[in-house]
Amino acid sequence: MEIINIIGIYNDPDDLIKGVKKVKEEGIAIKNIFSPFPVHGLPEILGLETRMPLLTFLYGVFGASVTFAFLYWTSVVSYPLKFGGKPLNSLSFIIIMFVLVIFVSVLFTFLTFFIRQKIGPGKKAVMIDKRTIDDKFAIVIEKDPAFTMEQLIKISNILRENGAVEVNEEIQPEGYKEERDE
Amino acid sequence: MYKTSVRGILIPGNKSYGQVANDILHPLEAKSPPPWWYIVASLAIGMTGFGIWGIYTTVTQGIGTWGVNNNVGWGMAIISFVWWIAIGHAGTAFSIFLLIMRQRWLTSITRTAEAMTVLAVICAGIFPLLHMGRIWNGFFILPYPNTRGPLWDNFNSPLFWDVAAISTYLMTSAVFWYIGLIPDLALVRERAVSKVKKRVYALLSFGWVGTARGWLRQETAIILIGGLAAPLVVSVHSIVSMDFATSVIPGWHTTIFPPYFVIGAIFSGFAMVMTLMIIIRHVFRYKDYVTQAHLDAIARIMVFISMFMGLAYATELFIAWYSAGEYEIFTFMKNRVTGTYTIAFWIMITCNAIIPQLFWSKRIRNNLMIMFAITIIINIGMWFERYVIIVTSISKDFLPSSWASYSPTVVEWANYIGTMGIFILGILLFFRYVPIIAMSETKGVLKETSNIEEVKHGNH
């Protein structure tokens, strides 16, 4: 069955935030919000959180321990060889560990971003309104078949009264499967 | 915090969000690049061809084709390597000022600075590989299980630290650049008219659509990677300097080397960014994005760094005298300040510590032609700095019987000029196929900085 979306288009990020706040107050479920650049304050209103900082920290710990284990094993266990009278388990391992912590955590953070966001080379971009990539902002609300006419008019009015310049009803394009923003 | 009027309006002209893309994408969406593009590109291809000849000669005949000898083992290749790595420091430095110190006026500069970083590090990486002589054995530098024991690398060697630091730096700066580029490539994809272009940019933009969740993750990833890259600004060139500082050669064996190299790296990187920004501002008519205030601010930073450079040179001389080590005194006083290489030394002082002092004058900071000339002079000066450090110290070390002179051969010049060709070619391709100014980030600062008047009058 076709899914129909109600789309409120905004010209300004401040109006968008006002609109989102109001829609949430009224208890209407928001499906997605599109913007051409990150709108500050929006994730807080929507209650979006990301655990990426924690993951990056864990990658760093992982990188440090694997690097140290490798350096220790090669220099002390596998083939102990004295260089310049320095101890086998040398303090200067810190330099390589430092660099490789950055290497591992940057690379894994980068990959995590793509895996969590489910984007990558070859992914087809299915957009609900193409203008949102350039200069428009959009609130997308999925039209529930159980919505009464009154409810629909209410949603439309809420969007319009809070700065939406257009309110459109469109059939969802095929292949659209973005994660919900709420 | 940054909504003050200290920096004034960042992007003048009351632009709408839609206009930003129109303004920035015109070189990318033009049917064909302008004539000068072809002229510079053919010049760069010529330089690259010369470089390929140099690399071919080096690889097939060995580094006997270079001017290096038993005593002066590090010649042009290491000079060029250090020079390029230093230029590659500005991209990350700028991004860190933007992200961590919240200097949002740098928004319009970081994309170019990062592209420059990636290219410069690629150019730098060519030289150590060539210097191995037998490039096909280059994988020996990596620790891998082998049948010789297995014998592992010497992990206490700064040369191995270099391998780790530079490959990390290349990977980090490339990843950091690309992750910020994805939304802009998506915009190019949606605006593209031709089918091929649409396909290519659809592939490159990874299916980005710009949902709230996507932006949150993208921004978090940028801040995390930027934060991780921040220590690299200091560490990469410190590690390069340890190639010198951990040796016992007079003139190299000094504790000032890591900070001195890092400051020098940021100095030459800023100079190169300034060179590029002046070109971009002029040829692509980005006057509203790269304003006079931007160039003025970078010039002020450069005066500051230039004084640091002067201080570092003076400190080196002072410590050589104060240490009363006869080899140190000979190297600095008889072989740099005076002696065979005195010209190189004084070019270095003039270009890096004296000429940039002209930036104190507001009139000079407002004159783009003079600024452009000074930035080029600084990079020449920085080349001479490496020449002075490397050649003077090893051409006359402890035993006069083993003194040798060094002059680069045409093959070495070919390698150096070749990397310049690669760099220029890369920059030209960047101008033509990539949005030169970060559009999504520029849109983010557009409103905050153009309503400064409102903030003042208290209706915000």
Side-chain angles (χ1 to χ4, degrees):
Chain A
M1 204 189 79
E2 282 169 343
I3 298 168
I4 294 169
N5 291 319
I6 304 167
I7 307 157
I9 303 280
Y10 294 80
N11 276 339
D12 188 281
D14 292 343
D15 290 344
L16 175 80
I17 288 196
K18 214 166 75 187
V20 173
K21 270 186 188 158
K22 194 76 195 161
V23 171
K24 284 211 52 138
E25 265 171 35
E26 297 289 331
I28 301 160
I30 293 172
K31 186 171 173 185
N32 278 124
I33 289 175
F34 290 93
S35 58
F37 58 86
V39 178
H40 289 273
L42 199 54
E44 288 81 1
I45 297 169
L46 294 169
L48 293 181
E49 270 174 17
T50 171
R51 279 161 298 176
M52 240 144 80
L54 176 68
L55 279 174
T56 305
F57 175 73
L58 294 178
Y59 297 148
V61 172
F62 170 77
S65 12
V66 168
T67 311
F68 179 73
F70 179 74
L71 292 176
Y72 187 84
W73 179 73
T74 51
S75 314
V76 181
V77 180
S78 169
Y79 199 105
L81 189 60
K82 280 269 183 194
F83 292 106
K86 294 188 190 79
L88 291 173
N89 185 15
S90 169
L91 193 65
S92 58
F93 286 177
I94 286 176
I95 293 174
I96 296 174
M97 284 168 67
F98 171 82
V99 170
L100 282 177
V101 163
I102 295 174
F103 188 95
V104 169
S105 29
V106 166
L107 189 64
F108 283 13
T109 305
F110 184 64
L111 295 176
T112 308
F113 166 67
F114 290 118
I115 292 166
R116 285 294 288 134
Q117 190 57 26
K118 296 191 185 71
I119 62 175
K123 194 207 169 197
K124 203 167 171 297
V126 185
M127 300 206 51
I128 283 187
D129 193 313
K130 292 196 174 193
R131 291 171 300 170
T132 60
I133 204 108
D134 189 5
D135 62 345
K136 299 281 188 231
F137 304 78
I139 300 179
V140 179
I141 299 166
E142 191 171 316
K143 187 175 168 186
D144 191 329
F147 276 167
T148 59
M149 205 57 201
E150 276 165 29
Q151 274 172 312
L152 288 174
I153 292 168
K154 197 178 133 202
I155 291 172
S156 170
N157 282 344
I158 289 170
L159 290 173
R160 263 185 216 287
E161 280 161 20
N162 289 289
V165 285
E166 285 172 35
V167 177
N168 307 327
E169 266 186 51
E170 278 170 25
I171 298 168
Q172 181 163 294
E174 224 174 294
Y176 180 88
K177 39 177 186 283
E178 289 299 322
E179 221 176 321
R180 291 185 79 93
D181 278 331
E182 206 180 17
Chain B
M1 187 175 79
Y2 34 79
K3 271 188 190 174
T4 60
S5 48
V6 171
R7 290 277 170 209
I9 292 169
L10 295 188
I11 298 150
N14 264 333
K15 296 192 185 295
S16 67
Y17 292 123
Q19 206 179 339
V20 171
N22 291 338
D23 284 352
I24 290 174
L25 288 178
H26 74 86
L28 190 145
E29 287 172 344
K31 258 219 166 72
S32 67
W36 64 264
W37 194 92
Y38 286 106
I39 297 167
V40 181
S42 44
L43 196 75
I45 288 171
M47 286 160 82
T48 312
F50 188 40
I52 288 172
W53 169 80
I55 291 173
Y56 177 79
T57 315
T58 307
V59 171
T60 53
Q61 296 177 31
I63 54 172
T65 53
W66 293 3
V68 291
N69 49 50
N70 268 348
N71 216 32
V72 187
W74 284 1
M76 274 289 278
I78 303 299
I79 298 171
S80 318
F81 161 72
V82 179
W83 190 75
W84 275 122
I85 284 283
I87 286 175
H89 269 61
T92 332
F94 270 120
S95 312
I96 275 125
F97 290 150
L98 173 71
L99 281 175
I100 294 168
M101 302 182 187
R102 302 270 172 153
Q103 297 291 318
R104 300 193 80 177
W105 57 282
L106 286 170
T107 303
S108 53
I109 297 175
T110 49
R111 173 72 46 79
T112 316
E114 287 159 19
M116 187 196 80
T117 291
V118 175
L119 286 166
V121 176
I122 290 171
C123 290
I126 294 173
F127 289 102
L129 287 172
L130 286 179
H131 214 313
M132 287 172 181
R134 298 187 174 84
I135 197 168
W136 51 94
N137 285 340
F139 63 92
F140 279 19
I141 55 174
L142 301 171
Y144 63 100
N146 54 56
T147 51
R148 305 185 294 274
L151 189 60
W152 304 97
D153 292 55
N154 178 1
F155 297 113
N156 297 322
S157 160
L159 297 179
F160 181 79
W161 303 342
D162 246 8
V163 175
I166 286 157
S167 42
T168 302
Y169 193 53
L170 178 62
M171 192 277 295
T172 304
S173 47
V175 156
F176 186 65
W177 182 66
Y178 201 81
I179 206 163
L181 194 56
I182 290 172
D184 284 359
L185 292 174
L187 173 53
V188 178
R189 170 194 76 207
E190 295 305 331
R191 284 171 61 108
V193 192
S194 87
K195 247 189 179 151
V196 181
K197 215 168 188 178
K198 221 175 179 90
R199 273 251 170 98
V200 171
Y201 284 101
L203 190 70
L204 292 175
S205 64
F206 290 4
W208 175 263
V209 288
T211 59
R213 223 179 251 280
W215 280 117
L216 175 66
R217 286 188 184 129
Q218 195 248 12
E219 255 201 320
T220 314
I222 285 186
I223 290 173
L224 287 172
I225 296 178
L228 286 163
L232 284 180
V233 175
V234 180
S235 77
V236 172
H237 227 60
S238 295
I239 290 175
V240 170
S241 80
M242 284 180 207
D243 293 347
F244 300 90
T246 56
S247 73
V248 291
I249 302 289
W252 291 4
H253 189 64
T254 54
T255 43
I256 197 181
F257 257 40
Y260 166 41
F261 267 52
V262 170
I263 291 286
I266 291 173
F267 191 48
S268 63
F270 273 39
M272 191 60 106
V273 168
M274 182 100 112
T275 314
L276 287 177
M277 292 325 287
I278 292 173
I279 295 174
I280 287 169
R281 177 186 149 89
H282 183 71
V283 300
F284 297 125
R285 304 186 299 279
Y286 285 161
K287 290 191 174 54
D288 289 341
Y289 298 92
V290 184
T291 59
Q292 195 78 48
H294 282 103
L295 301 171
D296 188 79
I298 303 175
R300 283 163 191 239
I301 299 171
M302 279 170 52
V303 171
F304 176 65
I305 305 178
S306 163
M307 289 169 72
F308 260 113
M309 296 301 291
L311 178 67
Y313 297 146
T315 308
E316 272 197 313
L317 294 178
F318 171 76
I319 292 295
W321 167 77
Y322 190 65
S323 70
E326 58 180 297
Y327 299 107
E328 288 286 324
I329 291 177
F330 173 80
T331 303
F332 282 98
M333 305 304 173
K334 305 267 171 66
N335 206 21
R336 288 191 188 177
V337 180
T338 60
T340 327
Y341 300 102
T342 180
I343 293 175
F345 179 84
W346 288 107
I347 290 177
M348 166 185 104
I349 296 281
T350 316
C351 293
N352 296 341
I354 297 170
I355 292 178
Q357 300 304 321
L358 289 173
F359 283 147
W360 284 104
S361 149
K362 200 178 174 95
R363 203 181 297 162
I364 284 179
R365 290 203 306 272
N366 282 335
N367 187 330
L368 292 187
M369 279 312 287
I370 297 179
M371 284 239 273
F372 186 77
I374 294 177
T375 59
I376 300 282
I377 287 171
I378 288 173
N379 264 318
I380 294 171
M382 289 311 290
W383 189 89
F384 273 100
E385 182 194 300
R386 279 65 185 237
Y387 180 85
V388 166
I389 292 172
I390 291 170
V391 177
T392 59
S393 281
I394 46 181
S395 72
K396 290 179 186 163
D397 56 3
F398 302 100
L399 282 177
S401 60
S402 61
W403 285 1
S405 64
Y406 167 73
S407 62
T409 62
V410 67
V411 178
E412 283 171 288
W413 282 111
N415 292 339
Y416 178 51
I417 291 168
T419 49
M420 277 196 198
I422 294 172
F423 182 79
I424 296 170
L425 206 56
I427 289 288
L428 286 175
L429 291 174
F430 165 73
F431 283 172
R432 174 70 181 137
Y433 295 108
V434 179
I436 303 168
I437 292 173
M439 288 183 289
S440 62
E441 287 162 34
T442 305
K443 286 174 196 166
V445 296
L446 202 58
K447 206 175 172 198
E448 279 174 30
T449 58
S450 55
N451 63 1
I452 283 166
E453 287 304 309
E454 281 176 51
V455 179
K456 262 190 201 156
H457 298 117
N459 17 325
H460 196 273

